[in-house]
């Protein structure tokens, strides 16, 4: 188990550095702050996959204008959904996926987005990251959400030695104190976008520069 005081210091120092440079919240967190409706968290997370934050935010807003709830989304043609979220990555595929998910939730779950991991993962195209964010931001349920940034930073810090985000998620559930589960993704995604970048991270700006083992880092700035 990671020491709670140590993790606290990491969270505080990373948060302070992001505050200094004025880093905005990730798109899904921004949407959840305005309205933590699980449907909106689910839809915007699907839109966000392989899509820049600014594109995700605008695409999600356009979708919610024409489909403010699951029932409305289920009635829309997948082509109209795709057009609303364009130019999000793979927008046509996501349009079809969102339509299928909406129909399943409407018909099988009384139009209520499921609040358990296994059921969420059974929905078409929903992976561990999407399911975890729905639980975290939509329902306030503790879950470790791991994307490429969380996976990479956790390995660089030496918290884990894993090859995939799925392995990292499982390991972090074992070693990370529970109160850090929900804020973990938001913090490390922002940190990975601005400072601990995938290629040549800005280690000179990081308050953990001297202590970080920098595992896997070949070049840094």
């Amino acid at each position: 188990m990671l020491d709670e005081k140590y993790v606290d210091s990491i969270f505080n120092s990373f948060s302070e550095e992001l505050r200094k440079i004025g880093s905005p919240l990730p798109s899904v967190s921004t949407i959840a702050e305005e309205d933590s409706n699980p449907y909106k968290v689910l839809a915007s997370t699907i839109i966000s996959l392989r899509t820049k934050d600014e594109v995700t935010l605008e695409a999600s807003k356009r979708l919610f204008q024409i489909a403010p709830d699951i029932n409305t989304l289920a009635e829309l043609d997948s082509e109209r959904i795709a057009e609303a979220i364009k130019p999000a990555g793979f927008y046509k595929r996501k349009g079809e996926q969102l339509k299928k998910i909406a129909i399943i939730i409407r018909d099988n779950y009384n139009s209520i987005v499921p609040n358990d991991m296994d059921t969420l993962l059974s929905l078409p195209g929903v992976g561990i990251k999407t399911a975890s964010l729905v639980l975290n931001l939509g329902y306030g349920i503790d879950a470790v959400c791991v994307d490429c940034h969380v996976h990479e930073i956790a390995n660089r810090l030496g918290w884990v030695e894993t090859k995939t985000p799925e392995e990292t998620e499982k390991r972090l559930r074992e070693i990370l104190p529970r109160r850090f589960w929900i804020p973990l993704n938001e913090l490390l995604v922002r940190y990975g976008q601005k400072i601990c970048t995938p290629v040549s991270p800005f280690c000179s700006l990081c308050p953990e520069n001297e202590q970080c083992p920098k595992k896997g880092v070949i070049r840094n700035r």
Side-chain angles (χ1 to χ4, degrees):
M1 179 71 70
L2 291 170
D3 180 75
E4 194 160 347
K5 289 183 179 179
Y6 160 70
V7 180
D8 244 335
S9 71
I10 293 283
F11 271 54
N12 289 336
S13 63
F14 282 10
S15 297
E16 177 60 19
E17 201 59 40
L18 289 168
R19 186 194 64 78
K20 289 178 183 177
I21 64 176
S23 170
L25 290 174
S27 54
V28 178
S29 296
T30 300
I31 290 164
E33 275 211 336
E34 296 175 358
D35 185 352
S36 60
N37 183 327
Y39 154 63
K40 292 187 175 180
V41 175
L42 173 60
S44 60
T45 303
I46 290 170
I47 294 169
S48 76
L49 302 175
R50 298 192 180 183
T51 302
K52 292 182 178 180
D53 271 344
E54 55 270 24
V55 175
T56 296
L57 196 56
E58 293 306 314
S60 298
K61 288 179 179 178
R62 287 194 300 272
L63 177 64
F64 299 148
Q65 285 177 348
I66 63 172
D69 54 53
I70 283 286
N71 292 332
T72 311
L73 184 64
E75 294 300 321
L76 291 178
D77 293 332
S78 59
E79 292 82 3
R80 190 175 181 198
I81 299 171
E83 190 61 32
I85 66 175
K86 184 181 177 179
F90 306 100
Y91 63 91
K92 291 184 179 179
R93 184 190 306 170
K94 290 175 181 176
E96 295 172 355
Q97 181 184 349
L98 286 165
K99 167 83 173 179
K100 290 177 182 176
I101 289 172
I103 291 173
I104 291 171
I105 292 175
R106 181 196 64 188
D107 294 349
N108 298 342
Y109 302 103
N110 198 29
S111 301
I112 298 172
V113 174
N115 64 354
D116 69 278
M117 180 67 76
D118 289 342
T119 307
L120 286 167
L121 290 174
S122 73
L123 297 173
V126 172
I128 189 73
K129 174 189 173 182
T130 300
S132 295
L133 278 179
V134 171
L135 295 177
N136 282 354
L137 302 180
Y139 286 108
I141 296 172
D142 292 338
V144 178
C145 181
V146 175
D147 72 345
C148 59
H149 292 296
V150 178
H151 169 65
E152 193 157 48
I153 294 172
N155 274 276
R156 285 175 175 175
L157 286 167
W159 291 359
V160 299
E161 291 185 22
T162 53
K163 296 185 183 298
T164 67
E166 290 76 19
E167 291 176 11
T168 300
E169 185 266 339
K170 291 177 182 177
R171 183 65 181 132
L172 286 176
R173 276 196 283 113
E174 296 170 351
I175 65 171
L176 187 67
R178 199 176 186 93
R179 71 182 178 89
F180 299 106
W181 287 15
I182 289 180
L184 176 75
N185 181 265
E186 179 182 295
L187 177 65
L188 295 194
V189 166
R190 294 167 68 202
Y191 209 72
Q193 290 172 340
K194 298 295 184 180
I195 297 173
C196 197
T197 51
V199 179
S200 189
F202 293 92
C203 294
S204 60
L205 299 179
C206 180
E208 297 298 316
N209 185 26
E210 297 300 322
Q211 295 78 29
C212 179
K214 302 181 181 63
K215 292 187 176 181
V217 176
I218 299 172
R219 293 184 298 109
N220 66 79
R221 290 172 276 183

